[in-house]
Amino acid sequence: MPELPEVETVARDLQRVVAGATVREATVSWDRTIRHPQPPERFVAEVAGATIRRVDRRAKTVLLHLDDGRVMTVALRMTGALLVVPGGTPPDPYVRVALALTDGRELRYRDVRKFGRIGLWPGGGLRTVGAGRGSRSRRVAEESRRYRIGEVFSGHGPEPLSRGFTVERLKERLARRSAKLKTLLLDQSFIAGVGNIYADEALWRARLHPLRAADTLDEAEVRRLHRSIRTVLRQGIANRGSSVSDYVSADGQPGDNAERLMVYQRTDQPCYRCGGPIRRIVVAQRSTHFCAHCQAEPVGSGGR
Ligand SMILES: [Zn+2]
């Protein structure tokens, strides 16, 4: 499942190849891929003629900002991929939505397992979200007259690579929670964009056990976690993501971060730091990989 670095890679690739392109016509082959507007025929009608101004990312979602202020969201989920192909490219049975561009190319949303969702939203309110679950995001909701793009993300936590995601902010957020670190890192309302791979990688790098309760971290540990989260995500982006499943980027090139992962899916292999075996446990129904030596087990965790 693509996480922040994979989605960021897709967004950067797309920015390079489709910024400035205009949609001539949309074809929806799987209705449920369209989340908004409903019915999908409305999406088809409303996206025709739209020009893509710029492409970026929020959480694990690709954002295509249109010239008129509207925003198209593409949540890739498990197997979604965005591909730009030349005109005349043979049809592909896994393409759920195709946007024919006026320059003859086609922007295809391909999704084998069909969990991904595409939306088209009025602009506005995006900047203020992620600032906290409190007053600010509520104020956005109250001011809005329509369901704007900002509201789509109002339940999401802060962007870990943003300027606002400081050690202090992470410390405050952790102190309020007694959940296990692994569970929290996967919670999109706690922090946006982190999934199973980068959660394991960040905890290994920070030398923190996945079952540690969030509110038990001391200052130094919070600092290590903060730095580790950002480092593993930045490294993932630099390597164009971890191509461990069906994920491919916009131009079809797989990322090469998978071979640089330190713990993820390395069960029983030696830890790169101490040589001890990497262990696998299940936390929040997800495979969790860690080094029992480097990431000390929390006291009293046995019965929890
Ligand atoms: Zn180790």
Side-chain angles (χ1 to χ4, degrees), residues 42-112:
R42 237 186 97 195
F43 171 87
V44 170
E46 290 185 10
V47 80
T51 296
I52 300 163
R53 184 163 46 105
R54 111 188 121 79
V55 185
D56 62 11
R57 176 198 61 76
R58 171 78 174 106
K60 300 179 192 171
T61 298
V62 177
L63 305 182
L64 291 94
H65 300 266
L66 306 181
D67 252 359
D68 57 13
R70 290 179 300 161
V71 183
M72 187 174 2
T73 52
V74 184
L76 304 170
R77 303 273 171 78
M78 298 294 283
T79 55
L82 284 159
L83 305 154
V84 179
V85 298
T89 303
D92 171 342
Y94 297 116
V95 171
R96 310 303 175 189
V97 176
L99 302 179
L101 305 176
T102 54
D103 59 20
R105 296 178 301 162
E106 197 172 76
L107 172 56
R108 290 178 166 183
Y109 177 70
R110 184 180 197 273
D111 191 350
V112 176

Side-chain angles (χ1 to χ4, degrees), residues 204 207 263 270-278 290-295:
W204 179 83
R207 284 176 278 130
V263 278
C271 169
Y272 286 125
R273 195 160 39 213
C274 74
I278 299 300
F290 68 102
C291 171
H293 180 252
C294 295
Q295 296 165 262

Side-chain angles (χ1 to χ4, degrees), residues 33-34 45 74 76 125 139 154 165 179 193 226 234 247 254 287 290 292 296:
T33 298
I34 302 300
V74 184
L76 304 170
R139 205 182 312 141
S154 60
F165 184 69
H226 179 264
R234 287 201 181 109
Y247 156 74
S287 282
F290 68 102

